[in-house]
Amino acid sequence: MNNIFDSHAHYNDEQFDIDRDSLLASLPEAGIVGIINCGTDTASSFASLEMAEKYPFVYAACGYHPESALEFYEAGLVDIEKMLSHPKCVAVGEIGLEYHYDFVPKDVQKYVFEKHLELAVKYNMPVIVHDREAHADTMDLLKKYKPKGVLHCYSGSTEMAKEVLKLGMYIGLGGAVTFKNAVKPVEVAEMIPLDRLLLETDCPYMAPVPMRGKRNNSEYISYIAEKIAMIREIEPDDLLSITAENTKRLFGIK
Ligand code: NI
């Protein structure tokens, strides 16, 4: 397949230490035209920028993931703000709220999320939002700041999806849509306007069926595209072209 744009990856993860460079170098031949690598703290955001400098098809998102929110301090915010001016930084992310693993207090998570939303609005940059079991608080803050951006690995209802679309935001679907017990992601794949859909891996996590449980990588987006294309009764290649264009439009990539 061609025109695979992976809108959400973590190639700085240690699971890629063994073959990161050979794997990344092989991806264009496998049809990958773009990757947005998401930072989760200062070190991984910086690593994303370094990767983006090395590989023309890699772009970076910089920010603090809610699970790293306790490590966030005002100096971290200064670091991220500086990184946003890098020519290959295309988004503020991965940011948001994680209430499934709630070892970081909710008020700390919300504080750190809001600090990033302020930056996104200040620099008119899209956000890449993580929302796990935190739908109400996530929507409240998105309605307050009205950033452009994407809800990645979308797990909410179709009703919430309509609100997300009303805000002008995009929805990212990945491996979960292929899982046997998938309900909500499939319903969302059925209803979402195709010009608001992004595809993603969240690799090394969330590998789609039939690779579930293995280390994920951008090539496996082909399985996600096949599943959603079947649901929408279109050709997988057409879905890949449309979603690659969506990703470029949202993140201002030529
Ligand atoms: Ni992620």
Side-chain angles (χ1 to χ4, degrees), residues 1-252:
M1 289 187 193
N2 282 309
N3 271 326
I4 294 175
F5 204 126
D6 185 353
S7 66
H8 193 114
H10 299 279
Y11 281 105
N12 53 286
D13 190 280
E14 61 183 13
Q15 288 189 49
F16 293 111
D17 283 354
I18 188 170
D19 62 348
R20 179 176 299 106
D21 279 311
S22 57
L23 175 63
L24 281 167
S26 74
L27 291 177
E29 267 179 52
I32 284 80
V33 295
I35 293 168
I36 296 176
N37 201 79
C38 298
T40 56
D41 56 17
T42 292
S44 56
S45 295
F46 191 70
S48 299
L49 288 178
E50 283 187 319
M51 220 179 286
E53 285 175 358
K54 192 165 178 184
Y55 297 96
F57 56 94
V58 175
Y59 300 84
C62 298
Y64 271 71
H65 190 283
E67 287 175 53
S68 307
L70 279 178
E71 296 143 39
F72 183 87
Y73 44 96
E74 297 302 328
L77 183 70
V78 173
D79 289 342
I80 297 299
E81 185 163 9
K82 274 187 206 149
M83 292 185 203
L84 298 183
S85 63
H86 189 288
K88 290 203 79 182
C89 180
V90 296
V92 181
E94 172 178 358
I95 60 174
L97 301 172
E98 166 62 63
Y99 290 177
H100 182 74
Y101 297 116
D102 58 355
F103 55 87
V104 177
K106 288 179 182 176
D107 55 345
V108 175
Q109 294 192 37
K110 282 193 235 176
Y111 172 81
V112 172
F113 188 23
E114 286 206 60
K115 286 289 169 195
H116 285 87
L117 288 168
E118 285 169 8
L119 281 184
V121 171
K122 180 175 173 186
Y123 293 101
N124 191 28
M125 289 181 81
V127 291
I128 297 177
V129 177
H130 172 104
D131 157 30
R132 191 166 181 206
E133 297 175 21
H135 303 324
D137 285 352
T138 299
M139 289 310 294
D140 281 349
L141 289 175
L142 292 178
K143 282 176 187 164
K144 179 175 172 187
Y145 288 92
K146 297 190 171 60
K148 51 186 177 176
V150 57
L151 262 83
H152 112 87
C153 195
Y154 184 78
S155 60
S157 63
T158 52
E159 289 74 33
M160 178 174 147
K162 284 175 197 160
E163 287 188 60
V164 173
L165 296 167
K166 222 183 276 175
L167 285 172
M169 295 184 75
Y170 290 67
I171 284 176
L173 292 177
V177 79
T178 68
F179 296 171
K180 275 205 181 91
N181 55 356
V183 179
K184 282 183 185 170
V186 171
E187 288 174 353
V188 171
E190 283 167 356
M191 59 74 77
I192 184 169
L194 288 179
D195 64 354
R196 296 291 195 87
L197 174 64
L198 307 187
L199 301 183
E200 62 168 68
T201 55
D202 206 13
C203 68
Y205 313 105
M206 296 296 287
V209 173
M211 300 300 175
R212 192 171 182 180
K214 296 197 174 141
R215 187 186 73 173
N216 201 359
N217 80 76
S218 304
E219 274 190 73
Y220 296 170
I221 283 202
S222 55
Y223 299 110
I224 300 161
E226 273 173 16
K227 176 71 186 271
I228 298 175
M230 192 183 75
I231 293 169
R232 298 301 290 255
E233 299 180 340
I234 62 173
E235 290 300 319
D237 277 325
D238 293 338
L239 182 73
L240 287 170
S241 301
I242 294 166
T243 50
E245 283 310 310
N246 295 344
T247 311
K248 291 182 197 167
R249 187 188 325 117
L250 173 59
F251 296 105

